[in-house]
Amino acid sequence: MPSHLSADRPAAPPPRRGSVEALISQTRRLKGDVDAVRRDAEGEGADHPRERWQRALYDLALHQLNDLDEHLAQLRDGPLPTAADPAPDASAPGSLLSRVGSAEWNLLTDEASWSGELYRILGRDPAAPPLTLDELPSLVVDEDRPKLTAMVTDCLVDARPIDGEFRIARRGGDVRTVHMMGEPVLDADGSTASMWAVLRDVSELRRSQRAVSETRDSLHHRQEAARSEQRLAAELQEAVLPQWRGSLRLPHRGPGTLDLASHHLPASTNTLIGGDWYDALELTGGETLLSVGDLTGQGVGVTSNMTMLLGAVRGMAMAGALPGQLMAWLNQLLDATVQPALGSAVCCRYRPATRTLVWAQAGHPAPLLFRDGTGRVLNAPDGVLLGATSGAVYGQAEETLEAGDLLLLHTDGLVPGHTGSAAAQLLLGLAPRLAGNRTAQDCVRTVLQEFGEGAREDNACVLMAKVTS
């Protein structure tokens, strides 16, 4: 085959064997390192879009290192035999890049010369004569023929180098993507005497790159969907929770009037909104319903079901159900539905005539009572009892309040990083500061100043009730 060099450009000296061997050794060490990191990453988590994207990138990097190893070995071992004596397929299974094939087209004699590897890449019979430049487009799919024609024309007419890809249709309908690089070979007068090119099959490479792109796009779309769901859930939650803001003085004006204030603290932007709620409702006879709680799960589905839950709680309370019975019926109601499930709740019924608070809980932080600059956790009711025919029966407790008392109801997550008794102790530590607050809204502000700043992993609700008379 004629030299693939311009007539006025001297041939570069071949690389030293030792230097190529050193590159091969470095490549194989790097392959081992990448493979080790990949195996460690595979053992870290579940099948999530981010993990699939990472696996695709690791696979692509390893494939490319394998191909670099093969190309360096080809560089070390020298060119393959010509088409008259083609070598067997030396590419490893799953290789992204085939070995490089080469060709030269003599414009003066209209002769063509192909390497044996080029026959294999293009799916041609090695006994057949190589195709001329005019015949080469017959292998290319219709949509890519103009691209190949333009590249060849630019090379022959304007002496521009070729560097582009096109698809070929091989026997049996197999379509492959081929990358072609070439240059014109000039004669002594500076005219184009021939054109040489090297070609390689990059089908698997492009397929792996598409897999990386698709998994990255899938991850991006999931993240966008999660953010959209979060925004919608937050809007729904704001719509579902009572519309009053700041202090609310219920219509009742008799003894034991409650001054109420509340606040919902959303989770950080990277976490979906959950089903935390608070509620206050004046009942027949001047009594007041107070409740806070949460549903299991996250997102729009759970948030939208809060409407049903709040309606059920209010309806049962209006029908006269005491907190223990209300919790039992609510549990039965939610158990009969596919979703949501009751995570936890506390329900209180305040009787202003006697300043009596009747309350029950289901796996929820007990109310906190602040009086005269100190605070305590209310004594929990009896545990949940299992009835023989009516399912769970929740115990309830009573507490007599005094004018000036402050009742704090909250969901888990109000104190970031703390739950249960640890969170309760931190909240009780605010007693001296709360004692100096005049209204329930002032008390809410004090809690928010202490625990409402910064990002939080969980949603939370807080409801303050101050006995004003």
Side-chain angles (χ1 to χ4, degrees):
M1 176 183 291
S3 171
H4 296 166
L5 295 169
S6 171
D8 57 353
R9 186 177 58 194
R16 292 178 317 215
R17 183 178 182 84
S19 64
V20 175
E21 289 288 1
L23 290 174
I24 292 174
S25 297
Q26 292 173 11
T27 300
R28 291 176 180 174
R29 284 197 299 270
L30 182 57
K31 283 197 305 182
D33 292 342
V34 173
D35 189 45
V37 174
R38 179 185 65 169
R39 287 196 303 269
D40 291 342
E42 286 177 349
E44 289 178 356
D47 188 26
H48 183 272
R50 180 177 292 278
E51 279 70 35
R52 291 197 293 271
W53 172 68
Q54 289 175 339
R55 285 199 302 271
L57 279 177
Y58 281 127
D59 290 342
L60 178 59
L62 281 173
H63 279 309
Q64 290 176 320
L65 287 172
N66 284 332
D67 292 320
L68 176 60
D69 188 7
E70 289 185 19
H71 286 306
L72 289 173
Q74 184 181 5
L75 183 63
R76 176 195 61 194
D77 299 337
L80 289 175
T82 61
D85 185 19
D89 183 3
S91 298
S95 175
L96 296 180
L97 304 176
S98 68
R99 294 175 66 94
V100 175
S102 61
E104 184 159 352
W105 290 273
N106 191 310
L107 303 182
L108 303 179
T109 63
D110 203 27
E111 293 178 345
S113 176
W114 286 10
S115 69
E117 190 63 26
L118 183 56
Y119 276 88
R120 192 196 67 78
I121 292 172
L122 299 182
R124 299 285 293 173
D125 182 356
L131 299 180
T132 66
L133 282 176
D134 291 335
E135 296 169 332
L136 187 61
S138 64
L139 300 178
V140 181
V141 299
D142 292 343
E143 295 87 344
D144 291 354
R145 287 179 184 174
K147 182 191 303 183
L148 174 62
T149 300
M151 287 192 299
V152 171
T153 299
D154 289 344
C155 181
L156 298 180
V157 176
D158 299 326
R160 295 180 184 174
I162 292 176
D163 188 354
E165 294 181 6
F166 52 87
R167 291 167 295 165
I168 60 168
R170 304 201 304 191
R171 292 193 182 110
D174 182 24
V175 176
R176 310 292 293 179
T177 301
V178 174
H179 183 236
M180 182 177 182
M181 297 181 67
E183 290 183 1
V185 180
L186 306 180
D187 59 18
D189 298 330
S191 302
T192 303
S194 62
M195 188 188 84
W196 69 268
V198 292
L199 297 92
R200 59 181 180 171
D201 186 342
V202 294
S203 303
E204 297 304 322
L205 174 62
R206 297 296 173 252
R207 187 175 294 115
S208 293
Q209 289 173 334
R210 285 195 299 273
V212 171
S213 177
E214 289 168 1
T215 53
R216 182 188 62 235
D217 292 344
S218 174
L219 175 61
H220 175 72
H221 292 157
R222 282 173 177 262
Q223 291 172 336
E224 284 296 317
R227 284 192 284 268
S228 297
E229 184 177 2
Q230 180 187 5
R231 288 192 294 268
L232 179 57
E235 292 171 0
L236 285 173
Q237 187 155 14
E238 288 300 315
V240 168
L241 292 176
Q243 293 302 302
W244 48 272
R245 296 292 182 270
S247 296
L248 170 71
R249 189 171 297 277
L250 295 173
H252 182 72
R253 291 292 187 270
T257 297
L258 294 179
D259 175 26
L260 300 175
S262 67
H263 195 82
H264 168 247
L265 294 92
S268 64
T269 56
N270 294 325
T271 305
L272 288 176
I273 301 299
D276 290 44
W277 89 85
Y278 61 81
D279 193 23
L281 177 69
E282 187 167 24
L283 304 174
T284 303
E287 296 184 359
T288 303
L289 169 71
L290 304 174
S291 66
V292 296
D294 65 88
L295 302 178
T296 60
Q298 296 174 326
V300 175
V302 171
T303 307
S304 61
N305 279 316
M306 286 171 55
T307 304
M308 179 269 290
L309 180 140
L310 288 176
V313 170
R314 289 183 167 197
M316 289 184 284
M318 291 293 289
L322 294 177
Q325 184 62 67
L326 190 152
M327 296 297 295
W329 286 349
L330 181 63
N331 187 62
Q332 292 179 16
L333 172 65
L334 294 177
D335 281 348
T337 61
V338 177
Q339 61 177 358
L342 181 63
S344 61
V346 62
C347 181
C348 306
R349 193 177 185 107
Y350 179 64
R351 296 167 177 163
T354 59
R355 294 198 186 97
T356 303
L357 183 76
V358 182
W359 67 282
Q361 66 182 146
H364 199 82
L368 306 181
L369 177 61
F370 296 87
R371 177 182 295 167
D372 298 330
T374 63
R376 64 180 175 90
V377 180
L378 294 187
N379 295 326
D382 294 335
V384 176
L385 306 176
L386 297 179
T389 57
S390 59
V393 178
Y394 289 83
Q396 61 186 28
E398 292 190 9
E399 188 77 26
T400 300
L401 304 183
E402 299 178 2
D405 282 356
L406 176 68
L407 193 67
L408 188 157
L409 309 181
H410 69 96
T411 61
D412 275 327
L414 177 61
V415 181
H418 297 81
T419 58
S421 59
Q425 291 304 312
L426 290 172
L427 288 167
L428 292 174
L430 298 178
R433 293 168 58 185
L434 293 174
N437 292 330
R438 185 176 59 85
T439 67
Q441 184 61 41
D442 292 336
C443 294
V444 168
R445 291 194 187 98
T446 297
V447 173
L448 296 182
Q449 288 170 0
E450 187 69 23
F451 303 115
E453 299 295 330
R456 57 180 54 244
E457 294 183 0
D458 299 316
N459 299 270
C461 288
V462 58
L463 175 63
M464 294 284 201
K466 190 176 181 66
V467 180
T468 59
S469 60

